[in-house]
Amino acid sequence: MKILLMFIALPIMAQSFREASIEAGIKFTHNSGRAGKKWMPETMGSGVVFFDADGDGWPDLLLLNSKDWTPRGRKNLSALYRNNKNGTFTNVTVGSGLDVETYAMGGAAADYDNDGREDLYITSLDGDKLLHNEGNFKFRDVTATAGIANKAFGSSVAWLDYDRDGKADVFVGNYVQWNSKGDLYCSLDGATKSYCTPESYKGQSVKLYRNLGGGKFEDATQKAGVGEATSKTLGVAIFDFNSDGWPDIFSANDTQPNKLYRNNKNGTFSEEAVSAGIAFGEDGVARGAMGVDAADYDRSGRAHLLVGNFSNQMLGLYHNEGKGLFVDEAPRRTIGKASLLSLAFGVFFFDFDNDGWLDIFAANGHIDEEINRVQPKVSFKQAPLLFRNNGKGSFEDVSKTRGADLMKPIVARGAAYADYDRDGDLDVVINNNHGAVSVLKNDGGNKLSWIELKLEGVQSNRSALGAVVRIESATGKQWQMVRSGSSYLSQSDLALHFGLNQDTSVKTIDVEWPSGKKQRIQNVAAKKRYLLREDSEKLIEK
């Protein structure tokens, strides 16, 4: 009987996340610049961007970095890694145009000029940068000529085609009004300086840059109705919460009410977070919101929200009830209790075990090394949390059963996913604040079936931002939207990955493009990657 029980347990325990940074050739240590002054930006960390820099169908990797406040004779660079197509990466930063010191925060990638190459937007304390992809892992700084001007503690950023004109626009979250000369003194214990919380500083408005074409952008923040000087935005999610075919925007604000910008379909937005029930916590107080993601985790046909919050506040899992209303399910679920003491930064939905139901990942870590002295139950280094979707509308905490490397306490910030080794399951990379990168390779998620789809717009924007894909297989229906941003300061692979459980094929794939065009493809083999162009009715194996 004992042998039988062990045999039954094996399939569950076989899958795990394994630390693979050395194996993958990724050697990177983030530098916050800290030097004893405890300046606020040192706590924020930097992001992770998975994007296909050379268009070969394999996700490359950008790890963003900060720098020393006072030069110490060393060069602190972000790191661009080329995917070698064999589970390893090569650092190609030198000579890429990204080999410039800056206090980088977040990043996102999309093809803003529709030339077939994914470009980069990077937020930075030194001023944001728009980097045009020249090909062959070379990037050119076009910030000034493009009309981008944001030097305002930029945080998360996301590309979207909010006016559906076929060109990718960009939405930039800004945090607080801080500079080294105006740094304030705060203390946890009344005796020594600690990092200040955002309540100590005034907020800043987000920025929305509309793509005019020809490599030019205009600041459309006020015209579009998204300017709000009190915001303290850290996370950004693009999603269509009312299913009208137009991208809406959610911004997670730290200690200020979250914002929900409904797209009015005329180049403007209306802010509706309070009436939607997502501006505050259940107690009516604004939370310390960090990262965010949006997806249909229960196959209801509506996009729901996941929000990472400060310790003692738990994750927010806002279920979209329809008609513009959300209800936070976390307090009544395992996810709430399990995440109560964690400080969640990078959070996202993804199907790590390919069973067809979207799971939850949260990358955690506190902001102050001394927190345990004043709050004994809260730790500075914290292990990630992994919640498995049971397919019945709730989640189970499987963090402790998916590998010892997943349980390792870290000071996590930006996090993103991609199937970087193309073995059929999604891997995770975490940029740890002032520490070494975590590469969590998914071992065993590919035991179940899957399909991956990369979309390429023609009339629509080239990156297919806003395109919706609906699939039906033997085990049911699923849908996802191509979207930039989400998590915290990061972006996951734009390719859509669907877990299919044990299904060997997909009956139908229906695509709704931002241009209005609709496509249907039938009887598609599983366990393969496909490229679909807007002007073609056939999938291309990649």
Side-chain angles (χ1 to χ4, degrees), residues 288-300:
M290 310 294 176
V292 62
D293 197 15
D296 183 5
Y297 69 81
D298 62 352
R299 300 190 186 182
S300 64

Side-chain angles (χ1 to χ4, degrees), residues 307-320:
V307 180
N309 294 309
F310 209 79
S311 53
N312 297 304
Q313 293 181 343
M314 74 180 60
L315 290 169
L317 182 62
Y318 294 99
H319 187 271
N320 188 341

Side-chain angles (χ1 to χ4, degrees), residues 222-456:
Q222 299 304 323
K223 183 192 302 184
V226 297
E228 172 51 67
T230 62
S231 292
K232 299 177 181 180
T233 299
L234 286 180
V236 174
I238 309 300
F239 71 136
D240 182 6
F241 80 90
N242 55 2
S243 303
D244 66 354
W246 292 75
D248 309 302
I249 305 169
F250 177 86
S251 64
N253 287 308
D254 188 4
T255 71
Q256 286 292 309
N258 298 323
K259 303 294 184 184
L260 175 63
Y261 296 108
R262 177 175 57 81
N263 196 321
N264 295 325
K265 310 178 189 179
N266 60 2
T268 70
F269 293 82
S270 295
E271 205 287 297
E272 300 180 351
V274 173
S275 61
I278 53 180
F280 306 96
E282 281 199 329
D283 56 1
V285 177
R287 292 172 170 173
M290 310 294 176
V292 62
D293 197 15
D296 183 5
Y297 69 81
D298 62 352
R299 300 190 186 182
S300 64
R302 297 184 293 271
H304 316 289
L305 282 168
L306 172 68
V307 180
N309 294 309
F310 209 79
S311 53
N312 297 304
Q313 293 181 343
M314 74 180 60
L315 290 169
L317 182 62
Y318 294 99
H319 187 271
N320 188 341
E321 303 288 304
K323 298 183 179 180
L325 180 65
F326 292 77
V327 174
D328 189 358
E329 296 285 334
R332 294 174 288 278
R333 305 287 185 182
T334 299
I335 186 175
K337 181 179 180 180
S339 65
L340 180 60
L341 298 179
S342 298
L343 201 172
F345 279 91
V347 298
F348 49 76
F349 293 106
F350 75 142
D351 188 357
F352 78 89
D353 54 1
N354 282 339
D355 66 352
W357 295 90
L358 293 175
D359 312 298
I360 289 174
F361 185 90
N364 308 308
H366 211 276
I367 63 170
D368 201 303
E369 292 175 288
E370 305 300 320
I371 188 63
N372 190 246
R373 289 198 298 113
V374 294
Q375 295 186 40
K377 292 184 178 181
V378 179
S379 301
F380 176 54
K381 292 184 176 181
Q382 301 176 1
L385 288 170
L386 180 64
F387 297 96
R388 182 178 180 273
N389 190 331
N390 64 11
K392 300 177 182 178
S394 61
F395 296 83
E396 59 178 320
D397 184 358
V398 296
S399 311
K400 297 179 180 179
T401 65
R402 300 294 166 157
D405 291 334
L406 186 64
M407 297 170 61
K408 180 182 177 182
I410 52 180
V411 187
R413 294 298 186 259
Y417 63 83
D419 183 7
Y420 74 77
D421 53 359
R422 290 188 33 161
D423 66 350
D425 49 32
L426 296 172
D427 313 294
V428 175
V429 173
I430 304 171
N431 202 347
N432 297 309
N433 194 36
H434 209 76
V437 66
S438 296
V439 178
L440 297 175
K441 186 180 185 302
N442 190 339
D443 280 338
N446 56 9
K447 293 184 182 300
L448 292 179
S449 189
W450 53 274
I451 191 171
E452 192 168 282
L453 301 168
K454 181 68 178 287
L455 272 60
E456 186 177 296

Side-chain angles (χ1 to χ4, degrees), residues 79-93:
L80 176 63
Y81 284 93
R82 182 189 68 216
N83 194 320
N84 296 327
K85 308 180 185 180
N86 60 2
T88 70
F89 292 80
T90 297
N91 191 323
V92 294
T93 310

Side-chain angles (χ1 to χ4, degrees), residues 199-214:
E199 290 100 330
S200 304
Y201 297 95
K202 294 180 180 180
Q204 302 200 74
S205 173
V206 300
K207 284 285 186 75
L208 177 63
Y209 288 103
R210 180 172 177 264
N211 191 336
L212 300 175

